[in-house]
Amino acid sequence: MSRIEGVLQTLKGQGRKALIPFITAGDPHPDETVGLMHTMVDAGVDIIELGVPFSDPMADGPVIQLACERALKQGTSLRRVLAMVSEFRKTNDTTPVVLMGYLNPIEAMGYEAFADAAVNAGVDGILTVDLPPEEADDIAPLFSHRGLDPIFLLAPTTTDERIRAIAGHSSGYVYYVSFKGVTGAAKINVDEVAEKVAHIHELTALPVGVGFGIRDAETAAAVGRVSDGVIVGSVLVDTIARNQADIDALKRALTDLLNPMREALDGLAS
Amino acid sequence: MSVKLTEEMLAALPDARGHFGAFGGRFVSETLMDSLMTLEQEYMRLKKDPEFQAAFDKDLADYVGRPSPLYFAERLTRETGGAQIWLKREDLNHTGAHKVNNTIGQALLASFLGKTRIIAETGAGQHGVATATVCARLGLECHVFMGADDVQRQSLNVYRMKLLGAQVHSVESGSRTLKDAMNDAMRDWVTNVDDTFYIIGTVAGPHPYPLLVRDFQSVIGRETRRQSLEKTGKLPDALVACVGGGSNAIGMFYPFLTDESVQLYGVEAGGHGIDTGEHAAPLCAGRPGVLHGNRTYLMEDDNGQIASTHSVSAGLDYPGVGPEHSWLKDIGRGNYVSVTDDEALEAFRMLTLVEGIMPALESAHAVAYAVKLAAKMDKDQMVVINISGRGDKDIHTVAQLDGIEL
Ligand SMILES: Cc1ncc(COP(=O)(O)O)c(C=O)c1O
């Protein structure tokens, strides 16, 4: 069983929902990312999605675009992100880490070389936004054969036929994108999400994480009620942007954001 | 390596997933997949629909003014002292470039699909103008994304688009040029996918765009083939076209791909020179990667980050290229070369002075290479240059380089 499956199964046994933060690796500086990861673990998160910065983040809104620009300016590369995960693993071998990003940095490194390095670093899952399963026939097996979970997106526009096919290519969890749009937009409609996620649950046994548009304890609880986990991105990245000059203040701000979300999600269990 | 292409081989490309050999495909986020698959199905149906094709042909004739002439550049030929140089006059199309062939076709598609809102990216502004033009004609809402730097250097076209009723969105992110405009267009599309049709301006993007843009632009090569036979009794020996994303080039080349005797030259933007790194020539100096929905040759750094590009011509200032060109390069059917900013500017002046035809700076790249090529060829041979657009939009840029304030 992969580390991701283990964590999600334990949570399920406890009747709890996963809190999954996303931050862009290397933002505000590559030396700070591992510390931020530990801070988030201390605040009660279950799985970390670590964004690999890309020059052309087509699926992202301005907040994560700017985070990519900051991280790249500080010399963040895919290799450097893998080094961050290795560093994180020195003191944490329980919290799963999913690398999330775009295909080209992986393609440039070479798929086999990347998959080997990711396993060695202690990465658990790979989510490439611009890699639909149709193009993943040769790539996804390189990940799964090494025990890395390939995680794919589902969207409001995904047909039933595709939901089944995509779930068939995925392990760990599937990531449901809550609305048509880019990250950071604030247009989540919880009723629509509830309906679609319930439907996805009918079509696959995989846990469903929901991301895009979750920004506080209230939206986290509303979405957590109908899914297996919530992914929180832009609001954290925006907090990093606003506190980049003072790392201690930044860590406190992240904790202050995540704690109420954790409590709200755990409040659903009782 | 060079492969003899047959009609059967070409009919099988792109394959069902939009691949041209190792290139192309559909690398987009899940939200767009359904739209792309619907677009593909509808296009495959309409491609064989006589009514759709008749509507397209009629618009090309009556609205665009096709066929565009194939013109013998007698004086340029004499000055060059080699092969006969002929010009395919896409600059004479309505709106002044080849871009309109494609926007007519895609706008027709959009209306068949019942979409009411159109978005487009643009570099030089020619595709933006061509899109705004068809939207004005059909009464469609039009949004054009344009890099902030390009808004600066192509201000005339920005104003033209506004006069045509389009909203121009200046894109401040990234390198503030064409690739960033395309990023923002994709972001808009994913947000408004229900009512919006994205008219991509070149043979890049996810499947089926490279296919349908190529089909719409192939009128250039079909006419050239027929006109060449009519006027000279034979096929040209060489075709020369500039390559930004590659739509005017593929439009010219495609109907000749199985004619082995016809050499194909795609001319990329060499900028300040390939060895300076400041250029926009992925086929000459890049390597395969994935950007904007397809796998193709790209300009990127060792870490797979897309490199910023440079060209004096905004329409060529793009780090990728259509996947079919990547395939033609790898099988050895296409020759891909580059000329520098300075060579293109010199060719701009030469064609203007010698033939009274002011080419777009993009097209001037093709002129610059063709003149070098023709000089080495026999006098009974024939070179056709695709003059993809007219140069009015570039007068500001040229004047500025001359130190003249207009
Ligand atoms: C006149 C002209 N030629 C060529 C191009 C380059 O595009 P493509 O390579 O798709 O023909 C442009 C793009 O703006 C253009 O305006």
Side-chain angles (χ1 to χ4, degrees), chain B residues 97-99 124 126 202 242-248 315-316 360 362-363 388-389:
Chain B
H98 70 291
K99 296 287 180 187
Q126 286 305 110
T202 190
C242 66
V243 177
S247 67
N248 87 89
L316 303 184
E362 291 79 11
S363 324
S388 56

Side-chain angles (χ1 to χ4, degrees), chain B residues 48-108:
Chain B
K48 288 181 238 131
D49 178 350
E51 210 176 304
F52 179 83
Q53 290 304 331
F56 180 53
D57 291 344
K58 183 168 190 306
D59 280 355
L60 288 183
D62 297 346
Y63 191 69
V64 177
R66 303 203 71 94
S68 68
L70 181 65
Y71 163 76
F72 178 41
E74 204 172 339
R75 211 175 144 211
L76 181 64
T77 299
R78 230 177 15 244
E79 302 251 322
T80 305
Q84 287 183 21
I85 300 174
W86 294 69
L87 309 178
K88 179 61 175 165
R89 299 290 310 275
E90 292 299 300
D91 59 311
L92 294 178
N93 293 342
H94 180 43
T95 70
H98 70 291
K99 296 287 180 187
V100 72
N101 303 327
N102 169 47
T103 58
I104 292 272
Q106 288 199 52
L108 212 52

